[in-house]
């Protein structure tokens, strides 16, 4: 689940300005394919879009955060679900955000503080996108959907084992099975988050909930707290069973899911790196179990899988970008390997500040070229 907004972090946990920033300015700028970018000015209480009638196809929004809080920019479908989003736009910075828009009506939302709420503007998209589409991207999207389904199946299988240990109040066994049960989910997390009614039920963290919301708290992290803080899951069996029911509902919705190579794949890869930077590197994700490095690896693996599926197109259109991504994925994986222990990883509590900084710096270095993936794919 998307972590709470990060307003101030120390060391490498902060996303580097090179990752967050692009060429600024209020005027429209040239997008990655030469089309004029659409200027968006985000403040703490406003979301101003320079143009509200757009042609179908690739669209680059240049989002400038002129407020005092970290902002998030979302493009919403008519039913209110998120089509695409860009998180962690720091105060005083701007980003180029590439999306693929079909004809229709949308809302764009600027969320100061990254609460998922904020002012919106309506936009209308008309016409048809140029060209017949790259069949390699069509295949990549189909292959990625199969990958998502396989990871949800793996999550359900391993969560059943975890819940069985919870039902027996076998704390040691449940602790052993907790992190593996989450790997599939973390690998495809941006897709899982598309189901906004399920994501909070499955993956909400206590620190992100209001006092009122805590009364209805369910999911993995509730059981995590019971295991590591309380030392018992006696009486918590209903939460394990609810977790399995919610995952089954997620699985039932996947057959009708349509995935777009730009918004869902390239954009999702960037979201996975944002998850690492704002939750895993900081140690906020697994506050009780400290199994953050397992989630970290799953997020990176998910982003790398997307890149590998899109790589034939990226290699052709921007070979230098492909080279940068290959190099930086390898660097992150090398650092992670230093903290392996058996089939998993050491407790994140044992990872010192210097090593956390190295991990954060590597994530930032990877995040910069990964933020260009959508633009390369849609050239």
């Amino acid at each position: 689940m998307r972590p709470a907004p990060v307003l101030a972090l120390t060391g490498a946990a902060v996303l580097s300005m090179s990752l967050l920033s692009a060429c600024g300015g209020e005027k429209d700028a040239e997008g990655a394919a030469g089309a004029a970018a659409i200027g968006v000015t985000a403040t703490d209480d406003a979301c101003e879009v320079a143009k509200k009638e757009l042609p179908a196809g690739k669209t680059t929004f240049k989002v400038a955060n002129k407020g005092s809080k970290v902002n998030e920019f979302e493009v919403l479908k008519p039913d209110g679900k998120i089509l695409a989003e860009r998180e962690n736009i720091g105060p005083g910075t701007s980003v180029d955000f590439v999306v693929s828009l079909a004809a229709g009506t949308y809302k764009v939302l600027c969320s100061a503080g990254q609460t998922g709420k904020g002012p919106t503007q309506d936009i209308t998209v008309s016409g048809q996108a140029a060209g017949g589409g790259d069949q390699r991207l069509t295949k990549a999207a189909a292959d990625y959907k199969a990958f998502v389904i396989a990871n949800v199946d793996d999550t359900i299988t391993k969560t059943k084992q975890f819940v069985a240990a919870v039902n027996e109040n076998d704390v040691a066994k449940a602790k052993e099975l907790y992190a593996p049960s989450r790997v599939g989910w973390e690998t495809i997390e941006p897709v899982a988050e598309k189901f906004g009614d399920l994501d909070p039920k499955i993956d909400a963290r206590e620190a992100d909930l209001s006092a009122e919301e805590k009364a209805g708290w369910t999911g993995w992290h509730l059981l995590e707290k019971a295991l590591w803080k309380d030392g018992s899951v006696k009486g918590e069996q209903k939460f394990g069973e609810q977790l399995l029911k919610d995952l089954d509902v997620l699985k039932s919705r996947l057959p009708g899911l349509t995935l777009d190579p730009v918004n869902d794949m390239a954009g999702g890869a960037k979201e996975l790196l944002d998850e690492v930077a704002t939750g895993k590197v900081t140690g906020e994700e697994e506050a009780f179990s400290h199994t953050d490095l397992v989630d970290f690896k799953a997020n990176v693996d998910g982003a790398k899988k997307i890149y590998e599926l899109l790589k034939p197109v990226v290699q052709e259109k921007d070979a230098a970008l492909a080279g940068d991504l290959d190099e930086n994925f390898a660097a992150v994986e090398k650092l992670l390997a230093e903290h392996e222990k058996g089939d998993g990883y050491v407790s994140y509590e044992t990872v010192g500040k210097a090593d956390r900084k190295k991990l954060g710096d590597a994530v930032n270095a990877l995040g910069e070229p990964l933020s260009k993936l959508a633009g390369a794919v849609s050239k």
Side-chain angles (χ1 to χ4, degrees), residues 36-379:
I38 309 303
V40 178
T41 301
T43 65
D44 293 348
D45 54 11
C47 189
E48 298 297 333
V49 184
K51 295 180 181 178
K52 299 179 179 63
E53 295 186 0
L54 310 175
K58 174 190 170 181
T59 301
T60 301
F61 291 100
K62 181 171 286 293
V63 187
N65 182 2
K66 299 193 174 182
S68 62
K69 301 177 181 178
V70 174
N71 215 301
E72 175 182 4
F73 180 72
E74 298 179 358
V75 180
L76 306 176
K77 300 178 184 179
D79 61 4
K81 293 182 179 178
I82 298 173
L83 173 69
E85 62 184 336
R86 180 64 180 270
E87 302 175 0
N88 298 303
I89 307 172
T93 69
S94 67
V95 299
D96 284 346
F97 179 50
V98 180
V99 297
S100 178
L101 299 176
T105 57
Y106 303 86
K107 287 184 182 294
V108 296
L109 178 148
C110 301
S111 179
Q114 301 191 142
T115 63
K117 301 177 182 179
T120 63
Q121 291 284 330
D122 294 322
I123 60 173
T124 301
V125 178
S126 58
Q128 291 186 329
D134 189 327
Q135 291 304 307
R136 294 174 299 177
L137 295 180
T138 302
K139 183 180 186 303
D143 289 347
Y144 184 57
K145 182 173 179 178
F147 176 78
V148 168
I149 292 171
N151 273 274
V152 171
D153 286 343
D154 180 71
T155 297
I156 291 173
T157 297
K158 291 177 179 175
T159 302
K160 285 180 179 178
Q161 298 169 356
F162 168 63
V163 169
V166 169
N167 289 343
E168 296 171 3
N169 195 28
D170 187 338
V171 172
K173 188 66 173 178
K175 283 183 174 182
E176 178 184 333
L177 296 171
Y178 168 75
S181 76
R182 290 177 46 73
V183 169
W185 171 275
E186 291 288 339
T187 303
I188 53 94
E189 191 164 9
V191 176
E193 287 182 346
K194 287 182 174 294
F195 303 100
D197 58 327
L198 293 174
D199 176 49
K201 295 173 69 176
I202 293 170
D203 199 33
R205 300 180 329 200
E206 184 180 36
D208 298 335
L209 302 175
S210 66
E212 182 179 356
E213 290 170 333
K214 287 179 183 178
W217 187 25
T218 60
W220 267 304
H221 292 299
L222 179 147
L223 295 170
E224 177 203 5
K225 180 181 179 181
L227 287 166
W228 272 271
K229 185 172 182 179
D230 302 334
S232 173
V233 282
K234 187 176 182 180
E236 308 286 8
Q237 288 77 11
K238 64 180 179 180
F239 296 110
E241 297 303 324
Q242 184 62 51
L243 175 58
L244 286 173
K245 288 179 182 178
D246 291 333
L247 288 171
D248 281 338
V249 172
L250 173 63
K251 179 179 178 178
S252 73
R253 295 183 184 179
L254 293 179
L257 181 66
T258 300
L259 295 172
D260 178 86
V262 176
N263 300 338
D264 300 315
M265 294 182 67
K270 177 62 176 64
E271 286 180 47
L272 283 163
L273 260 290
D274 285 346
E275 288 282 344
V276 175
T278 59
K280 281 67 175 183
V281 169
T282 62
E284 296 176 18
E285 180 75 12
E286 305 291 355
F288 305 101
S289 66
H290 306 295
T291 55
D292 303 87
L293 288 175
V294 177
D295 294 355
F296 189 134
K297 181 63 161 60
N299 285 163
V300 171
D301 285 349
K304 186 177 181 181
K305 179 64 175 182
I306 291 171
Y307 165 57
E308 288 176 341
L309 290 171
L310 297 174
K311 187 174 178 178
V313 176
V314 179
Q315 185 72 46
E316 177 185 300
K317 295 185 176 183
D318 193 338
L321 176 62
D324 285 346
L325 286 167
D326 288 337
E327 180 181 340
N328 283 289
F329 269 116
V332 171
E333 290 171 335
K334 182 179 179 180
L335 286 174
L336 276 170
E338 294 177 4
H339 303 287
E340 289 178 350
K341 181 179 180 181
D343 294 333
Y345 290 88
V346 300
S347 169
Y348 202 54
E349 279 188 311
T350 68
V351 180
K353 290 182 179 180
D355 284 335
R356 292 191 185 198
K357 184 178 187 307
K358 288 180 182 178
L359 288 166
D361 287 347
V363 168
N364 287 343
L366 172 57
E368 183 174 3
L370 200 61
S371 68
K372 301 174 183 177
L373 185 59
V377 169
S378 57
K379 279 183 178 178

